[in-house]
Amino acid sequence: RIMRPDDANIAGNVHGGTILKMIEEAGAIISTRHCNSQAEEPCVAALARVERTDFLSPMCIGEVANVSAEITYTSRHSVEVQVNVMSENILTGAKKMTNKATLWYVPLSLKNVNKVLEVPPIQYARKEQEDEGKKRYEEQKLDRLETKQRNGDVILPVINPEPHTVGYSQSSLIHLVGPSDCTLLGFVHGGVTMKLMDEVAGIVAARHCKTNIVTASVDAINFHEKIKKGCVITVSGRMTFTSNKSMEIEVFVDADPFVDEPRERYRAVSAFFTYVSLSKEGKPLPVPQLLTETEDEKRRFEEGKGRYLQTKAKRQAQMQQAAQQ
Amino acid sequence: RIMRPDDANIAGNVHGGTILKMIEEAGAIISTRHCNSQAEEPCVAALARVERTDFLSPMCIGEVANVSAEITYTSRHSVEVQVNVMSENILTGAKKMTNKATLWYVPLSLKNVNKVLEVPPIQYARKEQEDEGKKRYEEQKLDRLETKQRNGDVILPVINPEPHTVGYSQSSLIHLVGPSDCTLLGFVHGGVTMKLMDEVAGIVAARHCKTNIVTASVDAINFHEKIKKGCVITVSGRMTFTSNKSMEIEVFVDADPFVDEPRERYRAVSAFFTYVSLSKEGKPLPVPQLLTETEDEKRRFEEGKGRYLQTKAKRQAQMQQAAQQ
Amino acid sequence: RIMRPDDANIAGNVHGGTILKMIEEAGAIISTRHCNSQAEEPCVAALARVERTDFLSPMCIGEVANVSAEITYTSRHSVEVQVNVMSENILTGAKKMTNKATLWYVPLSLKNVNKVLEVPPIQYARKEQEDEGKKRYEEQKLDRLETKQRNGDVILPVINPEPHTVGYSQSSLIHLVGPSDCTLLGFVHGGVTMKLMDEVAGIVAARHCKTNIVTASVDAINFHEKIKKGCVITVSGRMTFTSNKSMEIEVFVDADPFVDEPRERYRAVSAFFTYVSLSKEGKPLPVPQLLTETEDEKRRFEEGKGRYLQTKAKRQAQMQQAAQQ
């Protein structure tokens, strides 16, 4: 579809959240279709996890987004989908890869939302594809467990914060979940949640550096808990780390089933977003360093630095591999 | 994309206007891409006309709309696009043809919006395809001229109208044209206009028969005049004809460039929409007859009857042809 | 236009904010048109104030909102518009008055947004109409001055609040101002701001009483400062007063022009919203009493009580007057 002014920031760059939402919709369609292809019981595929994704080049207003999706692995109860997004300038015909994402879905019964159904197996062209898929499946399973433990954290408000401290840029928004945000099961689409998360992360980044910012990458996101129609969700973001030219922002989503529900507020999702600041010519700008004050902030800064160096090392290894081929 | 609650009426049937908007977006993308493929000057394809289209089966919330578009003819200054919409129930895998539409686009220069550029010719598989396309081109050209003359008419308000008269159900809405309604040239997308027209026509139909109604077909629509960002558009609808099971509604779009423009309010588009009333089981219901009072209303009723009988005759001829093959 | 699922809460009642937004759009169109009717310089009417408005009966999904607007007074630099909203159930034909609102607009030059232009005078049928309008004009002018002084207040966060305290239900959201939120001048539509304010107030009310709530009335709102495209706005609400069956919520809007602007965060609007809690049958329910803790909270409670009693007295006076006629 054609990118509109509402999909983009003032500089005309399409929000990462808009792209994540398109990716998730494509993934939900292909995996729901697959899971119902042999099912005795109708089901809806629910997003369980999105692997880390890099935004390779910004998309602009007026460009057309081409989204393609393919099922690349199935376990007994989950589906792995690979989604590619290309941006196409229909005036010049130029096409660019915007990003690739890998998503994991789980089929939930339409009659009983707490029942996970079995996934029909796919055929692999080569045995290695199945083995590699299985490896990815095991890896993400481990990672899911890990983030579950991180989930107790809350963001505390700060009065009169100094510029460039964590408290200075931290932000949160609340959103009442409406019917158009939800799947047939009455739970929020993962894509809707990711769009709100990107919105908050973008505001944190812009408050910190006061320039035009764009989403550079999103770390793996795990959807631990479903969010029901009618809930109020609070999406909060705080900066955890800055390198010379990038900012890492941690985003939490808490759901508050405040009408007709005997349940307490709970953490539904958390994730790390990385932003860069761009000049008017689209070049990355230096970013003011984050000032950490408390012990927790210093610890999180070091953890962020770890993730940053790890990603950098991985990317260099990939580039060397590519150069050798 | 997945159909959401906001795309549909209370009974869960997707609005014809939502479908028309998707069709037009697909047509605009493919024809803009084609016209820029060899162009020296960048251009944006603007919708000039939509041929009559029938809605074959209603689409529902939760279904996926598959839209495919193909260029079927090019004249020197216009492109004919054929768009097909399939609805897919991803739970059952069932697919149904929702409708087919034929649209005509004209490439306008991005630098000078009043300049119509030349269209690169397409290759035809067979000579007959080109001849048939040319015939369709000539036919629509004639028809365009005709509707241009009809355009002076206005809708006058009626105080305390009797049930089932024209005045009883006539309706209008105003809309301030925002940035996301517009193309790169700053003019309203044809699809946005059609969606508003369908909304008004639907209100007229529901006011008349007080039941669940769906769009059955839309007569050819000609876009005589562009509508600029910042305009206020008034969309008005009045019932012109009823058969036993259908209602014909005439819809006008007037644009009011009320800021910064030395121009008067003008008629931008007009068209006929046909609605049917459906029972809870999805069966067509009888429709109360339209009571005509003035001479003009009686004349329009007869004209509507003419269109209705003509369409009916055409459809019977097609069915006989199909039966003979 | 037809009310859609996204316009309403889970119980199907249309948000007061959706109605306020429609009212403001109608007011902006009629006053912009009027101010350009004889103008030498093109202008856009900006919302300066909305008088207190009562929501007489809730509107539901599927109903059609009929909005009509009329200019009732013009001063040298401002326009008073009266807007009426009727809800129409198009299935039964039943019409109900939803609310009436009085709005004040100021024409700003399209070339220089800081220049207020002159308003062409309207003709009055009777001399008394002009005099009454002038009286209303003077009254609102005084009131505007008063609220300007109230504007320094901020909402402080509370950790682990007790149920039914002020801190327990207070809420805030942030919103990045996008192109569709803005007028041709690049400033946020008053109606967009009011919709966000109602959203926050509604969440505060629902958090307090955990039931289905609807907007009962909105006190006069003054728009002291324009908000520019690209700003982040923070909308915060806290409960100030509860009667047996109503809740009063104070809402602040702060704008943060954080990109490319040498300006500090500033208070753009503040207002009081009154909510009632409804049972499934649509009857008003008792509301838990607000627990005030600090001196400020106690003072605000008393002030809220004052407003409540004043409004009650006014309404009784009007009813007696009506009974005598």
Side-chain angles (χ1 to χ4, degrees), chain C residues 213-230:
Chain C
I213 49 88
V214 297
T215 318
S217 67
V218 183
D219 232 48
I221 308 180
N222 294 307
F223 292 81
H224 294 298
E225 295 262 9
K226 294 184 290 281
I227 305 170
K228 208 176 165 182
K229 185 158 74 183

Side-chain angles (χ1 to χ4, degrees), chain B residues 5-8 10 15 168 172-180 195 199 202-203 206-212 229-230 232 234 256 258-261 265, chain C residues 1-2 4-7 25-26 28-30 32-34 36 42-44 61-64 66 88-93 95 110-111 179-180 182 184 189:
Chain B
D6 265 15
D7 297 322
I10 310 183
H15 295 297
Y168 180 69
S172 71
L173 68 77
I174 51 175
H175 174 73
L176 185 61
V177 175
S180 285
K195 191 163 184 286
E199 199 174 327
I203 292 175
R207 276 183 168 159
H208 182 77
C209 66
K210 317 250 176 244
T211 53
N212 179 41
K229 185 159 72 186
V232 168
T234 305
D256 197 350
F258 67 148
V259 178
D260 207 14
E261 291 271 334
R265 183 174 170 145
Chain C
R1 74 178 181 78
I2 302 183
R4 293 183 294 242
D6 278 4
D7 297 322
E25 186 167 342
I29 290 173
I30 195 174
T32 300
R33 186 185 285 149
H34 176 74
N36 282 286
C43 64
V44 172
I61 298 174
E63 291 187 341
V64 172
N66 288 299
E88 178 189 357
N89 182 325
I90 45 177
L91 301 186
T92 64
K95 285 185 191 185
L110 200 56
K111 285 165 199 159
S180 288
C182 293
L184 279 181
H189 278 292

Side-chain angles (χ1 to χ4, degrees), chain A residues 21-36:
Chain A
K21 197 173 170 222
M22 287 189 296
I23 286 173
E24 200 275 321
E25 185 166 348
I29 290 174
I30 195 173
S31 51
T32 300
R33 185 190 283 151
H34 176 74
C35 293
N36 282 288

